[in-house]
Amino acid sequence: MTLIEIAAHVGTPLAPGTPELAIPITGASSLDDAGPSDIVFFEHPKYLRSLRATKAGVALVPLGFAENITPVLIRVARPSVAFTAILEKLSPPPRAVAPPGIHPSAVVAADADIDPTASIHACAVIESGARIAARSVVGAHSFVGCESQIGQDCLIHPNVVLRERTLLGSRVIIHSGTVIGSDGFGYQFSAGKHLKVPQTGHVQIDDDVEIGACTTIDRARFGRTWIQQGTKIDNLVQIAHNVVIGPHCLIVAQTGISGSARLGRYVTLAGQVGVVGHVEIGDEVVVTAKSGVSKDAPAKQTLLGTYGIPIKEGRELVAHYHRLPKTVAKLSALEAEISELRKLLQPARDAL
Amino acid sequence: MTLIEIAAHVGTPLAPGTPELAIPITGASSLDDAGPSDIVFFEHPKYLRSLRATKAGVALVPLGFAENITPVLIRVARPSVAFTAILEKLSPPPRAVAPPGIHPSAVVAADADIDPTASIHACAVIESGARIAARSVVGAHSFVGCESQIGQDCLIHPNVVLRERTLLGSRVIIHSGTVIGSDGFGYQFSAGKHLKVPQTGHVQIDDDVEIGACTTIDRARFGRTWIQQGTKIDNLVQIAHNVVIGPHCLIVAQTGISGSARLGRYVTLAGQVGVVGHVEIGDEVVVTAKSGVSKDAPAKQTLLGTYGIPIKEGRELVAHYHRLPKTVAKLSALEAEISELRKLLQPARDAL
Amino acid sequence: MTLIEIAAHVGTPLAPGTPELAIPITGASSLDDAGPSDIVFFEHPKYLRSLRATKAGVALVPLGFAENITPVLIRVARPSVAFTAILEKLSPPPRAVAPPGIHPSAVVAADADIDPTASIHACAVIESGARIAARSVVGAHSFVGCESQIGQDCLIHPNVVLRERTLLGSRVIIHSGTVIGSDGFGYQFSAGKHLKVPQTGHVQIDDDVEIGACTTIDRARFGRTWIQQGTKIDNLVQIAHNVVIGPHCLIVAQTGISGSARLGRYVTLAGQVGVVGHVEIGDEVVVTAKSGVSKDAPAKQTLLGTYGIPIKEGRELVAHYHRLPKTVAKLSALEAEISELRKLLQPARDAL
């Protein structure tokens, strides 16, 4: 892309005639790694030093940015968004997806129903009764268990396990190493042993869900574990049996959600959050990183800390915690002062 | 099953003659999802509202439950246990397990010893010297390394890795994505580099252990990492080299146990717990979710918090923490009061 | 090995003539598991009781150790280091690595460039344009995506996924279940939906890096996620897109590092640590287990707690926290005392 094309693409046409317009831009890069044929973007003030030092040919910067630096500047309202638009234009040719059809090394049950436009990659295993709809891809070494169903335009990356009777909607993306439909962790204690409770349900994943790498979603004890439309789940997340996650949630890496918990719409759980079993989390709740949720959480609030309290109170507690040495010192000072007052009062006491 | 059969099965025969007895029950479900041909159960008061709204045909409820609601009620001492008994009767036909024998796409070393009743699924790889006993199943894409041994009636789900010399007892279940016998994380620092310490031991897993999905159990530096009889381990758990876990423990999801830690019998580690290296945790200890254990823990206690203190003290600390704003306010009030007293005392002071 | 050979090997020749020198030592073991033909080591005082009870034939002990116990003692400066040296001599014959060449069940693209000394194991899948250099091993069921490159003497264990365009240096070790190059977790919120931001970068892993089991390293949004020379990463670690980890770091199990964070040299993140996005962590920083890092951390300090503060202050806060009941009791006592003083002062007050 030439610089002129880029500027037009992000809606900020450049005044013609400047010599830099001939620069060919062939890559997108981070500020630190960029060379003269790369485009970069700058949005967070934290990276100003990197911007000043960058060797990039072009930089997308906020509208008000006035500094004079090396790259040619293109000013836009949201540099990050504009950068993504350029990325799509410049990105390396997509990974050569195997053509429609079944790789000869794949093992597909005779009664599996595979759409002719679907692509089943090397060493994939598709069991009896499975159905795979149009244009979906099952990556190398992936496993689709008995009677599982995959909707249209899904992308199952290499090395994914879908245990039996898993249901996927359309445009679902699942990354490598992830396991859907493993047994829930359910036992009954009897005569000194933990007896396995049958986990006879399944997992249902609705349209436009994306699930990261090495994430585990357990099948329901009965009924379904259910991830609703448009929710995005990161890597190494644990979702226990019978959990229901509403539409358009974000579940960040290493979060764990215990059995039968229910999340509403547009809930965000940041990284390493833990949710105990059977709680309900309302719409648009945000839980900050490393926090816990141990009771029902009403909608539209941000929760902080191990006990998941509203963020305003939570921050106040954290501030008090960090001031504990001062608080205790003040307490000691008061103690000394009272001791002094008591001494002063001794005559009054004696008089009583 | 008819309602009469269900009631008999849970030991609560119904009085004959009521018209509902003819209802055919074909599925088990959650309160929210149920329809007229489903059975549900109700135990935790939290779900009373869902019970009142359920469209289920039959509900298992506690003995004392007296409310008049839609489903036919069957009263039992432990609804959850009775429900499990019914689940086993109603559950969908089990996944079609491959018949005994070795799938043609599996790769099995000539000198591996596979019992003729064992079932080795598609694309499994069994290396030299491995032994697999009667009726055990090795799922698709699973790997059994050199000289590993799998006892009788084990179920290794798809995509499991058992590295070389792993030993499994009988009736062990391992879920997909799990890795047993990866190298322990051991290095010696020398001349500015971390040099790898050989991890030459193995992992031993005793009878009736179940291990969840995407869990990692490292082989010992020397000797064995050892999971004893009847212990159940959830998903995404990390167990480091030379850890010993006693019989009948429960290790919940995303917990991590550092090297050479030892757990006694009937220990429970709730979700996201961390245990530091070389500690001993006594029999029947319970560690609450997100807590840490950083020193030896005597038997029969429940531990709470990052520093794993007894739960009574731990809860007291948490309560104090949440009252910090009030405590600090009280301190400020006292400070003001003392200042006032001091003023009152000024005459006395002057007199001295 | 005979005892004489062992003593010589660790640099502490034994006085000749004692009868024990004939003991054949065939295994290395832990103190508790050892038998008469095993060698053990003792370093941490915590294990003194186990040492006294061990049935080992030989024990490596610290120089000053003077107690009279069952095993023959060899005194050395660092028993753990000496033990590792012996381990290497005694360890079981290494796992039979497949000979150079491509297993017939592997699926290798016609235009992949595989060195003839490399070993590609059963059911591995190597895609188009991949390059694998001399003596590297790709384990069973492992996947090497399009145009990925693996340097010399790498060991990729079974069931690893290297997505397209991943770059590995020399002598890199990757354990089973690990996924390198999965998409970063990046979305733009627009019209009520999370739209996927293309993740068009790659992952670069430099020489002598080792990565544990079931760890996930996301490809960059653009540019590279980069793990530098000699860094060691444990199991179940999450490394997000565009993270840069400097040379010779140690990242312990279940730690998560958010997008674009940068670590310097010789950084240690202990288990279950969380690092927020876009922070910089200086050289030689140590973050203790379960802690968080939420802002830039200058070099050469140890951080503790959810808010990652310097360990001295952090420990002071923890101590204050654990003394809260005493502090509050003292506050109540002062309150009572002030109340008493006030009563004593009542005459003075009345006089005013």
Side-chain angles (χ1 to χ4, degrees):
Chain A
M1 280 176 109
T2 68
L3 214 153
I4 290 216
E5 288 167 332
I6 286 175
H9 194 68
V10 300
T12 314
L14 288 178
T18 46
E20 296 91 343
L21 299 190
I23 300 176
I25 296 300
T26 57
S29 176
S30 63
L31 293 166
D32 293 349
D33 284 349
S37 60
D38 287 333
I39 184 168
V40 295
F41 81 98
F42 165 77
E43 198 163 284
H44 195 296
K46 173 176 182 109
Y47 294 107
L48 185 55
R49 211 176 48 179
S50 291
L51 175 67
R52 287 171 179 156
T54 190
K55 301 194 175 88
V58 194
L60 299 163
V61 295
L63 289 176
F65 187 83
E67 209 169 311
N68 196 359
I69 55 168
T70 309
V72 177
L73 300 180
I74 299 179
R75 293 180 181 79
V76 290
R78 296 177 62 190
S80 164
V81 173
F83 187 75
T84 296
I86 297 298
L87 258 184
E88 283 170 350
K89 282 274 180 187
L90 288 176
S91 55
R95 167 171 175 259
V97 168
I102 299 173
H103 192 278
S105 66
V107 178
V108 179
D111 65 348
D113 176 4
I114 318 273
D115 189 278
T117 62
S119 178
I120 312 299
H121 290 194
C123 298
V125 172
I126 317 280
E127 289 197 333
S128 170
R131 294 172 56 183
I132 299 176
R135 296 172 304 280
S136 282
V137 174
V138 175
H141 300 127
S142 279
F143 172 86
V144 181
C146 291
E147 292 168 36
S148 287
Q149 298 183 22
I150 298 179
Q152 299 184 347
D153 298 298
C154 290
L155 173 52
I156 312 299
H157 281 282
N159 218 29
V160 168
V161 171
L162 305 183
R163 284 268 308 274
E164 65 275 16
R165 290 184 287 114
T166 296
L167 304 179
L168 305 191
S170 296
R171 298 173 302 281
V172 171
I173 300 173
I174 305 184
H175 288 277
S176 299
T178 283
V179 176
I180 313 284
S182 38
D183 288 3
F185 193 65
Y187 303 92
Q188 275 174 2
F189 191 69
S190 172
K193 296 179 177 180
H194 301 289
L195 304 180
K196 186 170 174 67
V197 172
Q199 305 288 314
T200 62
H202 65 280
V203 176
Q204 175 179 329
I205 295 175
D206 291 347
D207 296 350
D208 300 302
V209 168
E210 180 165 3
I211 301 174
C214 293
T215 277
T216 57
I217 304 182
D218 283 349
R219 65 196 312 107
R221 174 182 170 191
F222 51 87
R224 58 187 167 182
T225 305
W226 189 9
I227 314 295
Q228 296 179 3
Q229 186 178 6
T231 281
K232 312 297 184 184
I233 300 175
D234 201 350
N235 300 344
L236 293 166
V237 169
Q238 150 71 355
I239 297 179
H241 49 181
N242 292 87
V243 165
V244 177
I245 300 186
H248 306 297
C249 295
L250 293 176
I251 314 291
V252 183
Q254 295 178 322
T255 284
I257 305 179
S258 303
S260 300
R262 297 175 86 96
L263 276 64
R265 306 161 67 84
Y266 298 110
V267 171
T268 299
L269 305 183
Q272 299 183 337
V273 161
V275 175
V276 307
H278 295 273
V279 298
E280 295 203 24
I281 299 183
D283 295 349
E284 298 177 45
V285 165
V286 174
V287 183
T288 59
K290 269 192 179 295
S291 296
V293 178
S294 51
K295 55 182 186 186
D296 290 356
K300 300 192 185 192
Q301 51 176 337
T302 298
L303 302 178
L304 179 85
T306 307
Y307 295 89
I309 59 176
I311 193 164
K312 189 156 165 282
E313 298 162 43
R315 282 190 175 145
E316 198 189 356
L317 290 185
V318 170
H320 278 302
Y321 177 69
H322 285 97
R323 278 198 301 264
L324 269 179
K326 283 184 187 164
T327 301
V328 168
K330 188 192 274 188
L331 183 61
S332 297
L334 286 192
E335 203 174 17
E337 192 153 2
I338 285 171
S339 171
E340 194 200 337
L341 287 179
R342 180 173 286 280
K343 242 181 277 167
L344 287 173
L345 269 170
Q346 203 55 45
R349 285 186 129 184
D350 293 347
L352 288 180
Chain B
M1 281 177 106
T2 67
L3 214 152
I4 290 216
E5 288 167 333
I6 285 174
H9 194 68
V10 300
T12 313
L14 288 179
T18 45
E20 297 91 345
L21 300 190
I23 300 175
I25 296 301
T26 56
S29 175
S30 63
L31 293 166
D32 292 350
D33 284 350
S37 59
D38 287 333
I39 184 169
V40 296
F41 80 99
F42 165 77
E43 198 163 282
H44 195 296
K46 172 176 183 113
Y47 294 107
L48 185 54
R49 211 175 48 178
S50 291
L51 176 67
R52 287 171 180 156
T54 190
K55 299 196 176 86
V58 195
L60 299 163
V61 296
L63 289 175
F65 187 83
E67 209 169 312
N68 196 358
I69 56 167
T70 309
V72 177
L73 300 181
I74 299 179
R75 294 181 179 79
V76 290
R78 296 177 63 191
S80 164
V81 172
F83 187 75
T84 296
I86 298 298
L87 259 184
E88 282 169 351
K89 282 274 178 185
L90 288 175
S91 55
R95 169 171 174 257
V97 168
I102 299 173
H103 191 278
S105 66
V107 178
V108 178
D111 65 347
D113 176 4
I114 318 273
D115 188 278
T117 61
S119 178
I120 311 300
H121 290 194
C123 298
V125 172
I126 318 278
E127 289 197 334
S128 171
R131 294 172 56 183
I132 299 176
R135 296 172 304 279
S136 281
V137 174
V138 175
H141 300 126
S142 280
F143 172 86
V144 181
C146 292
E147 292 167 37
S148 287
Q149 298 183 23
I150 297 179
Q152 298 183 346
D153 299 297
C154 289
L155 174 51
I156 311 300
H157 280 282
N159 217 29
V160 167
V161 171
L162 305 183
R163 285 267 308 274
E164 65 275 16
R165 290 183 287 113
T166 295
L167 303 180
L168 304 192
S170 295
R171 297 173 303 282
V172 171
I173 300 173
I174 305 184
H175 287 276
S176 300
T178 282
V179 176
I180 313 283
S182 38
D183 288 3
F185 193 65
Y187 304 93
Q188 276 174 1
F189 192 69
S190 172
K193 295 179 178 180
H194 301 291
L195 304 179
K196 186 170 174 67
V197 172
Q199 305 288 313
T200 63
H202 66 279
V203 177
Q204 175 179 329
I205 295 175
D206 292 347
D207 295 351
D208 300 302
V209 168
E210 180 164 4
I211 301 174
C214 293
T215 276
T216 57
I217 304 182
D218 282 349
R219 64 196 313 107
R221 175 182 170 191
F222 51 88
R224 58 188 165 181
T225 305
W226 189 9
I227 315 295
Q228 296 179 2
Q229 184 179 5
T231 281
K232 312 297 183 183
I233 300 175
D234 201 352
N235 300 343
L236 293 166
V237 169
Q238 150 72 354
I239 297 178
H241 49 181
N242 292 86
V243 165
V244 177
I245 300 186
H248 307 296
C249 294
L250 293 176
I251 313 292
V252 183
Q254 295 179 321
T255 284
I257 306 179
S258 304
S260 300
R262 298 175 86 96
L263 277 63
R265 307 161 67 83
Y266 298 109
V267 171
T268 298
L269 305 184
Q272 299 183 336
V273 161
V275 176
V276 307
H278 296 273
V279 300
E280 296 204 23
I281 298 183
D283 294 351
E284 298 176 44
V285 166
V286 174
V287 183
T288 59
K290 271 192 177 295
S291 296
V293 179
S294 51
K295 55 181 186 185
D296 289 357
K300 300 191 186 191
Q301 51 176 337
T302 299
L303 302 178
L304 180 84
T306 307
Y307 295 88
I309 59 175
I311 192 164
K312 190 156 165 280
E313 298 162 44
R315 282 190 175 146
E316 198 190 356
L317 289 185
V318 170
H320 277 303
Y321 177 69
H322 285 97
R323 278 199 302 265
L324 270 178
K326 284 183 187 164
T327 301
V328 168
K330 189 193 273 189
L331 182 62
S332 296
L334 286 192
E335 203 175 17
E337 192 153 4
I338 286 170
S339 172
E340 193 200 339
L341 288 179
R342 181 174 284 281
K343 242 182 277 168
L344 287 174
L345 270 170
Q346 204 55 45
R349 286 186 129 182
D350 293 346
L352 287 179
Chain C
M1 282 176 107
T2 68
L3 214 152
I4 290 215
E5 288 167 334
I6 286 174
H9 194 68
V10 300
T12 314
L14 288 179
T18 46
E20 296 91 344
L21 299 189
I23 299 176
I25 296 300
T26 57
S29 176
S30 63
L31 293 167
D32 292 349
D33 284 349
S37 59
D38 286 332
I39 185 169
V40 295
F41 81 99
F42 166 77
E43 198 163 285
H44 194 296
K46 172 176 184 112
Y47 294 106
L48 185 54
R49 210 175 49 177
S50 290
L51 176 67
R52 286 171 181 157
T54 190
K55 299 195 174 90
V58 194
L60 299 163
V61 296
L63 289 175
F65 186 84
E67 209 169 312
N68 195 359
I69 55 167
T70 309
V72 177
L73 300 181
I74 299 178
R75 294 182 180 77
V76 290
R78 296 177 62 191
S80 163
V81 173
F83 187 75
T84 296
I86 297 298
L87 259 185
E88 283 170 350
K89 282 274 178 187
L90 288 176
S91 57
R95 169 169 175 259
V97 168
I102 298 173
H103 191 279
S105 66
V107 178
V108 178
D111 65 347
D113 176 5
I114 319 272
D115 189 278
T117 62
S119 176
I120 312 300
H121 291 195
C123 298
V125 172
I126 317 279
E127 289 197 334
S128 171
R131 294 173 55 184
I132 299 176
R135 296 172 305 281
S136 282
V137 174
V138 176
H141 300 126
S142 279
F143 172 86
V144 181
C146 292
E147 292 168 38
S148 287
Q149 298 183 23
I150 298 179
Q152 297 183 348
D153 298 298
C154 290
L155 174 52
I156 311 300
H157 281 282
N159 218 29
V160 167
V161 171
L162 306 183
R163 285 268 308 274
E164 67 274 17
R165 291 185 284 114
T166 296
L167 304 179
L168 305 191
S170 296
R171 297 173 302 282
V172 172
I173 299 174
I174 305 184
H175 287 277
S176 300
T178 283
V179 176
I180 313 284
S182 38
D183 288 2
F185 194 65
Y187 303 92
Q188 275 173 3
F189 191 70
S190 171
K193 295 179 178 181
H194 302 289
L195 304 179
K196 186 169 173 68
V197 172
Q199 305 289 313
T200 63
H202 65 281
V203 177
Q204 175 178 330
I205 295 175
D206 291 347
D207 295 349
D208 300 302
V209 168
E210 180 165 3
I211 300 173
C214 293
T215 277
T216 57
I217 304 182
D218 283 348
R219 64 196 312 108
R221 175 182 170 191
F222 51 86
R224 58 187 166 181
T225 304
W226 188 11
I227 316 295
Q228 297 179 3
Q229 185 179 5
T231 281
K232 312 297 183 183
I233 299 174
D234 201 351
N235 300 343
L236 293 165
V237 169
Q238 150 72 354
I239 297 179
H241 48 182
N242 291 87
V243 165
V244 177
I245 300 185
H248 307 296
C249 295
L250 293 177
I251 313 292
V252 182
Q254 295 178 322
T255 284
I257 305 179
S258 304
S260 300
R262 297 175 86 96
L263 278 62
R265 306 161 67 82
Y266 298 109
V267 171
T268 298
L269 305 184
Q272 300 182 337
V273 161
V275 175
V276 307
H278 296 273
V279 300
E280 295 204 24
I281 300 183
D283 294 349
E284 298 177 45
V285 166
V286 174
V287 183
T288 59
K290 270 191 177 297
S291 295
V293 179
S294 51
K295 53 182 188 186
D296 290 357
K300 300 192 186 189
Q301 51 175 338
T302 298
L303 302 178
L304 179 85
T306 307
Y307 295 88
I309 59 177
I311 192 163
K312 190 155 164 282
E313 298 162 43
R315 282 191 175 144
E316 197 189 357
L317 289 186
V318 169
H320 277 303
Y321 177 69
H322 285 97
R323 277 199 302 265
L324 269 179
K326 283 184 188 162
T327 301
V328 168
K330 189 193 273 188
L331 183 61
S332 296
L334 286 191
E335 202 175 18
E337 193 153 4
I338 286 171
S339 171
E340 193 200 339
L341 289 178
R342 181 173 285 279
K343 241 180 279 169
L344 287 173
L345 270 170
Q346 203 55 44
R349 285 185 130 183
D350 294 345
L352 288 179

